[in-house]
Amino acid sequence: MAKIKAFEGYMYNPDKIEDLGLVMSPPYDSLSEDEQKELYARHEYNAVRLSKGMTYDTDTPEDNPATRAKDYLQKWIQEDIIVRDSKPAIYLYEQAAEYNKTTFTNKGFVALLELEDFGDKVLTCEDTTPVNKQHRYDLLAATKANFSMINCMYVESEKDLSRMMMEISDTPPDVSFKIPDGTTEYIWRICDPEKIKFITNALSGHTLYIADGQNRYETSLRYKKYCASQNPNHTGNEPYNYILTLLTNAYDDGIVQLPFHRLVKFKKPFNESFVVAACQDNFKVEKIIVDTDTSEFSETLKKQIASTRLENKIALYCGGEYFYRLTLKSSKPLKSIFPDKSDGYISLDVTVLNSLILQDILGIDDTNYDERIDYTKSVMDGIKKVRSGEYGCLFAINPVKTWQVCSVATSGDKMPPKTICVFPKPASGIIMNLL
């Protein structure tokens, strides 16, 4: 079973930082270059300097983002900008964030998770796009620290842990502040040995699904194996055997799973009539006219494809005051394409889109996917980009359902890259762990 343990976390010192929200950073993979620059200017101690430092033309093996992060970390600890807790704890971490005019409150336990190869205890549920993980490895090796946490989901229908979270969150938090994007952050330290034992025992019986942070997990696992190979007295209990992890109940109402919508590039003018006609082979196609502004248009589009039933509805937007609702007629074509895949995999909107539209109709497959496809989490943003002529069309899909995530991972399948985006994501710098 998965091994979870308490730890003595490092956090920014509120006696030194008047507004803790100003030193938090989004996860490194969510940052654009402009956002990175803005965070540098926001505060001299912003965690972006640790998690995703600026690169310069003058960088060398001796002076680069990883080495500078190491220097910043050591200096800030020496100056008590970042301080270590005096007792081992598991932390209750709560984020209150607004999405679609609704406030969601996501709670989870922050602890250390033992690193091991993917198997029965820890499962990955999504393929990742090929990326250069070396810079993450260099940062970990230089700093020997986790500045952000991966997000693992567990399935607990009894909700014993959720009830404990509710009881703890009814007490005043040890730390609370708001970050500039509007998200309110709360932290409670759980130092009671009996409560820690209850949490670790309860979580050890669950399979954990990595919802966000697979690349960081794989990088940390690589680093663990390297350290173990260099340590003749390796026991498995060394700090490098663990990774900082947020553990959330997959069925918690506060966690939101956002879809990545697909924007499509065309070298030649987009042939709307051809695509719509070709879609009719496998889809019921309905043209829905919406004469309103962009924000209301995007909300109407999302409502028109939303479904609680086991069916696939995809929206195709081509630039006018209308869109097409594509409803899959039958899953039989997919089952013939993927005879060895699970029902959860076949039921994904992105599986339907990739196979029956992007590949079959538009000729977009693994060889040219990255060249032809871009992603957006905002339908409104996608509509604007199609209207500007930057892209030929937008395909909007529904969020992945929790049962699909668990079904895919448990069966040994992996969802296609960019299938799921968990919201809200933990801030970098909120709780840190040194190896």
Side-chain angles (χ1 to χ4, degrees), residues 101-143:
K101 301 178 182 178
T102 300
T103 298
F104 291 88
T105 302
N106 182 34
K107 295 183 180 72
F109 292 114
V110 180
L112 298 186
L113 169 65
E114 185 178 30
L115 290 156
E116 57 181 84
D117 291 327
F118 295 124
D120 295 335
K121 302 175 187 178
V122 180
L123 299 175
T124 177
C125 54
E126 185 181 66
D127 261 331
T128 55
T129 53
V131 296
N132 180 7
K133 300 176 189 174
Q134 187 61 42
H135 67 290
R136 302 310 306 170
Y137 184 88
D138 293 342
L139 178 65
L140 180 60
T143 62

Side-chain angles (χ1 to χ4, degrees), residues 57-321:
D57 293 338
T58 55
D59 281 352
T60 66
E62 295 75 30
D63 183 16
N64 55 66
T67 61
R68 289 191 289 271
K70 175 186 176 181
D71 293 341
Y72 282 129
L73 179 62
Q74 292 177 345
K75 184 173 185 288
W76 296 353
I77 290 175
Q78 290 169 358
E79 296 174 350
D80 284 339
I81 301 299
I82 293 174
V83 293
R84 186 182 191 182
D85 279 349
S86 59
K87 297 179 181 179
I90 288 178
Y91 301 82
L92 175 60
Y93 177 34
E94 177 181 310
Q95 295 173 285
E98 185 174 296
Y99 177 72
N100 273 354
K101 301 178 182 178
T102 300
T103 298
F104 291 88
T105 302
N106 182 34
K107 295 183 180 72
F109 292 114
V110 180
L112 298 186
L113 169 65
E114 185 178 30
L115 290 156
E116 57 181 84
D117 291 327
F118 295 124
D120 295 335
K121 302 175 187 178
V122 180
L123 299 175
T124 177
C125 54
E126 185 181 66
D127 261 331
T128 55
T129 53
V131 296
N132 180 7
K133 300 176 189 174
Q134 187 61 42
H135 67 290
R136 302 310 306 170
Y137 184 88
D138 293 342
L139 178 65
L140 180 60
T143 62
K144 297 178 175 57
N146 301 141
F147 301 119
S148 61
M149 56 195 85
I150 67 168
N151 192 336
C152 284
M153 297 191 299
Y154 59 90
V155 177
E156 186 202 36
S157 54
E158 300 86 0
K159 292 199 172 183
D160 291 335
L161 290 169
S162 295
R163 280 191 287 273
M164 174 181 272
M165 290 183 195
M166 292 301 296
E167 291 173 4
I168 294 172
S169 64
D170 282 340
T171 65
D174 293 306
V175 180
S176 65
F177 56 89
K178 182 175 285 190
I179 57 179
D181 71 358
T183 303
T184 304
E185 313 270 325
Y186 305 93
I187 296 173
W188 292 261
R189 295 178 177 91
I190 305 169
C191 300
D192 183 340
E194 289 303 313
K195 289 183 178 178
I196 290 175
K197 183 178 179 180
F198 177 82
I199 295 168
T200 55
N201 286 346
L203 287 170
S204 69
H206 292 290
T207 299
L208 302 180
Y209 305 91
I210 299 180
D212 184 61
Q214 181 178 325
N215 286 330
R216 278 170 285 166
Y217 187 94
E218 292 174 349
T219 298
S220 295
L221 184 60
R222 174 189 166 195
Y223 182 68
K224 167 197 169 176
K225 292 179 178 180
Y226 168 77
C227 290
S229 71
Q230 301 299 304
N231 182 2
N233 300 314
H234 173 78
T235 65
N237 295 318
E238 295 86 357
Y240 57 71
N241 290 285
Y242 295 86
I243 186 171
L244 185 63
T245 304
L246 172 65
L247 300 133
T248 56
N249 190 340
Y251 289 100
D252 193 315
D253 294 336
I255 193 167
V256 183
Q257 296 173 23
L258 302 178
F260 282 101
H261 311 293
R262 267 59 174 172
L263 287 156
V264 188
K265 304 172 190 173
F266 294 87
K267 293 181 179 179
K268 298 179 181 179
F270 173 60
N271 191 332
E272 177 181 335
S273 58
F274 165 76
V275 173
V276 171
C279 283
Q280 293 177 7
D281 289 343
N282 289 306
F283 298 87
K284 176 184 176 183
V285 179
E286 301 167 277
K287 185 175 182 178
I288 299 176
I289 298 173
V290 186
D291 185 15
T292 185
D293 61 33
T294 304
S295 61
E296 291 185 17
F297 190 108
S298 65
E299 290 305 309
T300 299
L301 183 151
K302 286 186 284 188
K303 289 177 182 177
Q304 287 294 328
I305 64 171
S307 175
T308 57
R309 297 166 53 192
L310 186 58
E311 61 181 354
N312 299 99
K313 292 182 178 180
I314 298 170
L316 165 61
Y317 178 69
C318 309
E321 300 301 322

Side-chain angles (χ1 to χ4, degrees), residues 372-388:
R372 296 283 306 277
I373 301 295
D374 280 332
Y375 308 92
T376 178
K377 288 173 282 187
S378 167
V379 171
M380 187 187 308
D381 174 68
I383 289 171
K384 290 178 179 177
K385 287 181 175 179
V386 173
R387 286 180 175 175
S388 72

